[in-house]
């Protein structure tokens, strides 16, 4: 039996119809964190877009970066935002900054005791949570304190 941090029954995260985030979601399934970096001006960006936020070059390429960062902000969630989460509260959501990738930020869950002490600036590492048995298989990037 596979244990997941969050319960089954949540909608599967999938790439948009235009596929702009497909490299991100596919990378997670391969246990690789991929983000965009413009080949023209070097700007890092997330969320995925078909154009560079800075110089407007089309199709910024995807590059693999380490799934390591620091907590920029966090919140302990007490009220479920989806019915499947009702029994999972509280849990901790974090905004993780990737200093080695232009300080872009990603949202995720912090693994471990939901009542653990959490500090802005704490170092975290990514953990890949595979949902191979879902109707549409996917992988989530969760975070754990170093």
């Amino acid at each position: 039996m596979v244990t997941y941090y969050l319960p089954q029954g949540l909608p599967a995260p999938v790439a948009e119809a235009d596929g702009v985030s497909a490299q991100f979601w596919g990378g997670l399934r391969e246990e690789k964190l991929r983000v965009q970096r413009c080949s023209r001006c070097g700007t890092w960006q997330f969320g995925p877009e078909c154009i560079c936020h800075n110089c407007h070059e089309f199709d910024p390429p995807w590059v693999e970066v380490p799934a390591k960062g620091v907590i920029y902000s966090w919140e302990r969630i007490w009220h479920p935002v989806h019915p499947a989460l009702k029994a999972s509260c509280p849990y901790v959501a974090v905004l993780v900054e990737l200093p080695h990738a232009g300080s872009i930020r990603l949202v995720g869950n912090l693994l471990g005791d939901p009542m653990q002490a959490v500090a802005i600036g704490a170092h975290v590492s990514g953990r890949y949570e595979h949902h191979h048995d879902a109707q549409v298989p996917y992988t989530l990037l969760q975070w754990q304190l170093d």
Side-chain angles (χ1 to χ4, degrees), residues 36-45 49-61:
Q36 290 177 304
R37 185 171 194 194
C38 182
S39 56
R40 181 192 210 179
C41 71
T43 297
W44 295 91
Q45 65 184 36
E49 295 287 346
C50 60
I51 192 169
C52 172
H53 296 171
N54 184 53
C55 74
H56 304 135
E57 177 81 354
F58 284 101
D59 298 321

Side-chain angles (χ1 to χ4, degrees), residues 52-73:
C52 172
H53 296 171
N54 184 53
C55 74
H56 304 135
E57 177 81 354
F58 284 101
D59 298 321
W62 291 85
V63 296
E64 185 178 343
V65 297
K68 293 191 163 289
V70 296
I71 295 176
Y72 181 84
S73 186

Side-chain angles (χ1 to χ4, degrees), residues 53-125:
H53 296 171
N54 184 53
C55 74
H56 304 135
E57 177 81 354
F58 284 101
D59 298 321
W62 291 85
V63 296
E64 185 178 343
V65 297
K68 293 191 163 289
V70 296
I71 295 176
Y72 181 84
S73 186
W74 67 279
E75 181 174 3
R76 200 174 321 274
I77 311 297
W78 292 94
H79 301 285
V81 295
H82 187 278
L85 294 172
K86 187 174 183 179
S88 296
C89 290
Y91 60 93
V92 178
V94 290
L95 182 60
V96 175
E97 186 171 81
L98 306 179
H100 53 275
S103 296
I104 59 172
R105 299 177 190 134
L106 288 82
V107 174
N109 300 304
L110 185 65
L111 299 176
D113 182 349
M115 299 308 293
Q116 67 187 299
V118 182
I120 291 173
H123 291 261
V124 292
S125 295

Side-chain angles (χ1 to χ4, degrees), residues 6-21:
L6 294 178
Q8 298 292 352
L10 294 170
V14 295
E16 304 81 1
D18 63 8
V20 73
S21 67

